[in-house]
Amino acid sequence: METILTQERREALEKFLDMLVKMNELGLLDTIRDLLDPEFIGRLSELLMTPGTLKLLDHIDDLLDLAGSIDVEAIKGNMPLIKAALEALSRESKPVGITGLMRAMSDPDVQKGLGLMVELLKAIGKTKTK
C-alpha cells in the first residue's frame, strides 16, 4: 500500500478531493449527475436530432465561414437604415400609380432612397452575372 500512495500521489488525491468538495458545495456534482441521467440524454438527443438540426450540422462549416465574413461594423453603421426599413415594412402601404410616383419623386427623401435602391439593384445585378 505504501508504494501505491506515494507522497506525490497523496498530495494530488487531497487536491482532487478538495476540488470535489468545492464542486459539491457549488452544486456542480448534482448538475453533472443530472446531465448523465439516461432519461435526460434521451430527451436531449430527441430535441437535437431533428432533420433541421442534422441539415444545419451538415453545413456548419459553410455557416461558420459565412458568419466570419459578416462585416459587423458595417451592420452597426447601417442600423438606422435597417430600423427605418423594418418600421416602413410594418406600416400599411397604399398602392401608388405613375402619378403618385411622379409626385413622390419631388420629395428629397424619396430621391435619396431611390438612389440607394439603384445602387442596391446594381450590386444585386453584378452578383447575378458572375
Side-chain angles (χ1 to χ4, degrees):
M1 187 69 154
E2 230 6 78
T3 57
I4 293 174
L5 283 179
T6 63
Q7 181 64 28
E8 185 178 330
R9 287 181 176 171
R10 202 171 302 131
E11 287 174 13
L13 189 57
E14 285 177 15
K15 286 180 184 178
F16 180 70
L17 290 172
D18 288 342
M19 191 171 60
L20 277 176
V21 168
K22 288 179 184 175
M23 289 174 69
N24 190 46
E25 288 171 355
L26 293 171
L28 292 175
L29 293 180
D30 293 330
T31 302
I32 292 169
R33 183 191 61 222
D34 292 343
L35 289 174
L36 296 175
D37 179 52
E39 187 177 321
F40 176 79
I41 292 172
R43 181 70 182 122
L44 184 61
S45 65
E46 285 175 19
L47 291 171
L48 294 177
M49 301 312 255
T50 65
T53 305
L54 294 174
K55 187 174 181 180
L56 180 70
L57 289 174
D58 196 33
H59 297 284
I60 194 74
D61 290 338
D62 296 331
L63 291 170
L64 290 173
D65 286 343
L66 179 63
S69 69
I70 293 173
D71 185 349
V72 176
E73 292 305 315
I75 293 173
K76 283 182 184 177
N78 285 300
M79 280 311 292
L81 171 69
I82 295 167
K83 285 178 71 175
L86 291 173
E87 288 172 10
L89 288 170
S90 68
R91 292 191 297 264
E92 191 166 334
S93 61
K94 300 173 189 166
V96 176
I98 295 289
T99 309
L101 183 59
M102 296 306 282
R103 202 175 1 219
M105 293 290 292
S106 64
D107 183 334
D109 290 336
V110 172
Q111 292 172 359
K112 290 177 196 172
L114 186 57
L116 177 64
M117 293 306 296
V118 168
E119 292 301 317
L120 180 60
L121 290 169
K122 281 183 191 178
I124 291 171
K126 284 179 184 176
T127 64
K128 289 298 183 183
T129 57
K130 291 180 182 178

